[in-house]
Amino acid sequence: MAKQDRMKRLASEFNDCQQALVAIGDQTRQSIIMALIQSEIDSERGIRVGDLAKQTNLSRPAVSHHLKILKDANLIEVSREGTMNFYFLDITKSDFSKLRKLFGNIEAFLHEFQDESSEGE
C-alpha cells in the first residue's frame, strides 16, 4: 500500500479513536481505569461508584462524571443488578482493540519508513 494511502488510513483510525484518546489522556480517568483493572483481579462483578471514589480519593459525582466519559468513549461497560451499577472493562466490546490496532499500525508504518530511510543511506 502506498505511503499516502497508509497515511490516510492512519488519519481515519486516529479520527475513529479520538474520543477514546481524549478519555484516556486524563490522569484522573487513568487512575479510574487502573482501579477497574484492579477490580478485575479482585472481583468478577466489577466495581461500584462508591468503591471507586474511595480508591481514587474523588467524590462520587466526580467519579460518575469520569465514568460517563469513559463509557461514552466505549472503554468501559456497566452491569445493573437491581439498583446497583457495577463498572468493568470488557476488552471484547470496548474500543481498546481500536487503540491497539492504531498504535500497531503507527509502529509498523514507522518501522517500514525507517527501514526504507536507512537503506537509502
Side-chain angles (χ1 to χ4, degrees), residues 4 6 17 28 34 37 41 46 54 58 65 67-69 71 94 97 100:
Q4 290 303 323
R6 288 182 70 184
C17 293
T28 300
M34 293 302 295
I37 291 169
I41 296 167
K54 289 176 191 171
L58 296 168
H65 166 75
L67 287 172
K68 180 178 180 350
I69 292 169
K71 187 163 178 359
S94 74
S97 60
R100 186 179 65 245

Side-chain angles (χ1 to χ4, degrees), residues 59-74:
S59 68
R60 291 174 59 97
V63 169
S64 293
H65 166 75
H66 289 292
L67 287 172
K68 180 178 180 350
I69 292 169
L70 291 167
K71 187 163 178 359
D72 289 348
N74 196 35

Side-chain angles (χ1 to χ4, degrees), residues 25-121:
D26 181 86
Q27 190 173 12
T28 300
R29 288 190 284 277
Q30 292 168 13
S31 67
I32 290 172
I33 290 170
M34 293 302 295
L36 290 167
I37 291 169
Q38 183 63 46
S39 77
E40 293 291 320
I41 296 167
D42 298 339
S43 169
E44 295 179 14
R45 293 175 18 170
I47 189 168
R48 298 184 62 205
V49 171
D51 295 326
L52 279 169
K54 289 176 191 171
Q55 287 185 24
T56 58
N57 296 316
L58 296 168
S59 68
R60 291 174 59 97
V63 169
S64 293
H65 166 75
H66 289 292
L67 287 172
K68 180 178 180 350
I69 292 169
L70 291 167
K71 187 163 178 359
D72 289 348
N74 196 35
L75 295 175
I76 65 171
E77 296 286 328
V78 62
S79 67
R80 292 174 176 81
E81 294 180 19
T83 59
M84 297 184 294
N85 292 330
F86 294 90
Y87 294 88
F88 62 97
L89 299 167
D90 185 346
I91 283 302
T92 63
K93 294 180 183 175
S94 74
D95 280 354
F96 281 110
S97 60
K98 283 185 183 179
L99 291 169
R100 186 179 65 245
K101 180 181 174 189
L102 169 65
F103 291 122
N105 287 337
I106 292 169
E107 184 179 22
F109 182 82
L110 290 175
H111 279 298
E112 185 177 314
F113 177 74
Q114 290 168 354
D115 289 345
E116 287 175 8
S117 294
S118 64
E119 289 173 5
E121 293 176 3

Side-chain angles (χ1 to χ4, degrees), residues 1-12 109:
M1 181 181 299
K3 282 185 185 177
Q4 290 303 323
D5 291 338
R6 288 182 70 184
M7 289 297 294
K8 286 179 184 176
R9 188 177 81 193
L10 281 176
S12 176
F109 182 82

